[in-house]
Amino acid sequence: MTMTASGIVDALGGVVGSDRVLTGEAERAYFSTDLSFVPGEIADVVVQPGSAEEVAAVVRIAAEAGLPVVPRGGGMSYTHTFLTGKPGAVLLDLRRLNRVVEINAEDMVMTVEAGATWEQVYLAASEQGFRTPYWGPLSGRYATVGGTISNNSVFFGSTRYGSTADAVRGLEVVLADGSIVRTGSWAHRNGTPFTRYYGPDLTGMFIADTGSMGIKTKAALRLVNMPAASVGLAFSVPSFDASNECILEVARTELATEAYGFDPLYNDVFADLGFAFLKGVEWSVFFAIDGADDDIAEAAANHVRSIASNYGTEIDPTVAMAVRADPFGAVRSVLMGPNGEVWMPLHGIFPRSKAKQAADACRAFLDQNAATIEQHGIKISLLTLASGTDFVFEPSFYWLDDLGQFRLERIEPEWAEKWKTIPANPETREVGLRLRKELAAIFDELGCIHLQIGKYYDFAGNIEPTTRAALQAVKGALDPNGVINPGSLGI
């Protein structure tokens, strides 16, 4: 460790307590490693602050020493988000900032600390009859609010309400000099966080920044009423194109809260999980429709049914409602394949006009590499989703490989015991990661955008030079010495 002699570790311990400053090699390696299989610099120290004031004090100590500061939430990143871009980093494990500060039923806003998980948020809001419009990723048992806002995300609620970004009313952020700022109406000296817009949209500056503009400590999230009634629908459709067209046409009605499609691999996986009716189904689409009462939900479902029936045959809808019944219980399916394979996704968000082009390009790429994929036993899934009226496309690569501690400790013990001896497979890993990168480049050529940009997607290389210069100027003003998550966004 390079910092011990300088006394910085002692100074950090004076802020958060010595037991919240981790310096052991194994601990530092654990917190410095994401799910991408890409090695990075190991942080010199991991700090676990418990308040915004402690975060600010830690940042000041690090900044005065010229050390990088990297925020980490639930650790579910595949895109190098918290891999330290420079040696000597102070990594902030922000999960102790996990309190629900307030649920304001009158203003329809809840304020939470950035380390709270989406499961915590959902349970706290639902107790009072609310939920947030976007209400979490499938990994919401572990994914934190601050990490998700930093990366942006789609799934629960996204077809009707959009992404994480659309749920945010305001943020509390620690800047590189240790100052604490608030955004939106929360920035008013007599204000509360009831609206995002008060002057220029400074809130947006810290959304999807992958933690590069500042360190989020609190978020104010919009609330909507918990629906009194929900209906699930599902259809078997004859092709990938039919699945995508069906999802996007339904999304335009704004009647479905979630609309997503499974490919043959996903259908087989769910069949093995107890949904036997999916066995042999090639392509399927699922819808969750909410309403203020049964009549409204059923009327909306009938309209969705009238659209989807043009594309396929109605089947048992229990998958859509089972996912709703235990929304954050599918962590194993997020982290790995059905037989313990490593799961390595990539994604792109496209306008509807480019949905078919993206699907065709993906299929052509997989066809061109079919022999290599078969040789290495790599499996491919193609998950699709509507976020608003946009097409979200997530191809994923699966192969047998060493799962590692992080994955194993987040799944059921019986499965962890079964799969913990899967050996490392570096040759196939190299092929899988290469194919993933090549497909990401093809998506970029089609003009897609990405969530979870981190240090993986070529954000800086894909934006216009003048836009990049403007963004770098903002980064330079907020963080003149480049200490906050250096290398993130490629700037």
Side-chain angles (χ1 to χ4, degrees):
M1 285 188 54
T2 59
M3 286 192 285
T4 304
S6 67
I8 290 177
V9 169
D10 290 339
L12 296 172
V15 173
V16 302
S18 58
D19 59 330
R20 299 293 183 181
V21 180
L22 310 180
T23 58
E25 183 177 353
E27 293 171 318
R28 293 185 292 113
Y30 175 86
F31 283 102
S32 301
T33 305
D34 76 351
L35 295 165
S36 67
F37 282 113
V38 173
E41 296 280 351
I42 302 300
D44 266 20
V45 63
V46 176
V47 185
Q48 299 173 315
S51 68
E53 290 72 26
E54 288 186 0
V55 172
V58 169
V59 169
R60 282 194 293 270
I61 291 170
E64 287 169 4
L67 300 173
V69 180
V70 179
R72 184 187 190 274
M76 305 297 286
S77 168
Y78 290 84
T79 56
H80 321 166
T81 301
F82 57 84
L83 296 191
T84 59
K86 291 182 179 180
V90 177
L91 189 146
L92 298 184
D93 172 17
L94 296 169
R95 292 174 300 164
R96 288 183 62 217
L97 278 74
N98 61 3
R99 289 169 283 269
V100 174
V101 178
E102 180 187 28
I103 296 177
N104 188 324
E106 187 171 7
D107 293 342
M108 299 288 280
V109 174
M110 72 182 297
T111 304
V112 301
E113 291 185 324
T117 67
W118 285 98
E119 185 172 57
Q120 287 178 267
V121 169
Y122 177 78
L123 292 174
S126 63
E127 285 178 359
Q128 298 196 31
F130 303 113
R131 73 179 180 211
T132 55
Y134 163 90
W135 46 285
L138 286 165
S139 58
R141 183 155 293 165
Y142 299 104
T144 63
V145 170
T148 308
I149 292 172
S150 294
N151 289 285
N152 211 358
S153 172
V154 294
F155 195 75
F156 286 116
S158 289
T159 301
R160 184 172 181 180
Y161 294 108
S163 71
T164 318
D166 299 303
V168 180
R169 285 291 192 246
L171 294 169
E172 179 184 85
V173 182
V174 174
L175 300 183
D177 62 357
S179 60
I180 300 175
V181 300
R182 291 175 173 173
T183 68
S185 60
W186 209 358
H188 193 295
R189 59 191 178 88
N190 297 316
T192 58
F194 67 94
T195 183
R196 175 167 160 176
Y197 303 103
Y198 180 52
D201 181 22
L202 293 181
T203 302
M205 189 58 62
F206 300 102
I207 293 177
D209 70 329
T210 64
S212 65
M213 296 296 179
I215 298 169
K216 295 158 198 65
T217 51
K218 292 188 183 74
L221 304 172
R222 178 188 167 204
L223 291 173
V224 297
N225 289 323
M226 182 68 77
S230 298
V231 176
L233 294 176
F235 291 79
S236 171
V237 295
S239 68
F240 191 39
D241 288 339
S243 169
N244 299 335
E245 291 167 10
C246 179
I247 289 169
L248 291 170
E249 185 172 348
V250 168
R252 284 189 169 185
T253 69
E254 299 184 358
L255 294 175
T257 308
E258 289 106 49
Y260 50 93
F262 285 177
D263 71 339
L265 177 60
Y266 265 97
N267 286 327
D268 284 347
V269 168
F270 272 79
D272 291 340
L273 291 175
F275 301 95
F277 58 89
L278 286 175
K279 201 69 177 177
V281 173
E282 287 291 296
W283 304 91
S284 56
V285 293
F286 300 90
F287 307 100
I289 299 110
D290 299 320
D293 58 37
D294 289 337
D295 290 341
I296 292 173
E298 286 291 348
N302 284 334
H303 189 72
V304 171
R305 181 180 285 113
S306 70
I307 294 170
S309 296
N310 295 322
Y311 293 93
T313 304
E314 190 165 0
I315 59 175
D316 189 315
T318 51
V319 168
M321 288 297 96
V323 171
R324 282 290 194 89
D326 186 15
F328 308 117
V331 175
R332 176 159 44 93
S333 66
V334 171
L335 288 172
M336 57 197 64
N339 299 305
E341 301 94 338
V342 165
W343 174 65
M344 196 61 60
L346 76 147
H347 69 273
I349 301 182
F350 300 86
R352 176 175 176 152
S353 60
K354 289 187 175 181
K356 188 176 188 314
Q357 188 179 3
D360 288 347
C362 178
R363 286 180 293 198
F365 174 79
L366 297 178
D367 287 345
Q368 291 164 8
N369 290 278
T372 299
I373 291 168
E374 183 177 2
Q375 175 188 348
H376 290 275
I378 297 172
K379 298 178 181 178
I380 313 292
S381 68
L382 304 173
L383 178 69
T384 52
L385 168 75
S387 177
T389 58
D390 300 330
F391 176 68
V392 183
F393 187 18
E394 184 178 86
S396 298
F397 297 83
Y398 302 80
W399 65 88
L400 289 170
D401 205 339
D402 176 26
L403 293 170
Q405 178 186 352
F406 186 88
R407 286 181 173 89
L408 290 172
E409 69 185 16
R410 276 160 177 73
I411 63 174
E412 301 90 338
E414 62 271 24
W415 293 103
E417 182 66 25
K418 180 180 179 180
W419 292 335
K420 69 181 182 181
T421 56
I422 297 174
N425 190 354
E427 182 180 354
T428 297
R429 181 189 310 167
E430 181 180 358
V431 173
L433 295 179
R434 173 177 60 79
L435 293 173
R436 178 182 183 235
K437 194 69 174 179
E438 289 174 358
L439 185 53
I442 290 171
F443 280 7
D444 285 338
E445 288 299 310
L446 294 175
C448 82
I449 66 165
H450 300 290
L451 312 166
Q452 304 151 22
I453 296 166
K455 304 175 183 77
Y456 179 77
Y457 293 109
D458 187 16
F459 174 74
N462 283 317
I463 58 175
E464 295 287 348
T466 50
T467 305
R468 184 167 61 249
L471 186 61
Q472 287 173 323
V474 172
K475 170 71 170 172
L478 294 174
D479 183 13
N481 296 317
V483 299
I484 303 295
N485 206 5
S488 199
L489 298 178
I491 52 171

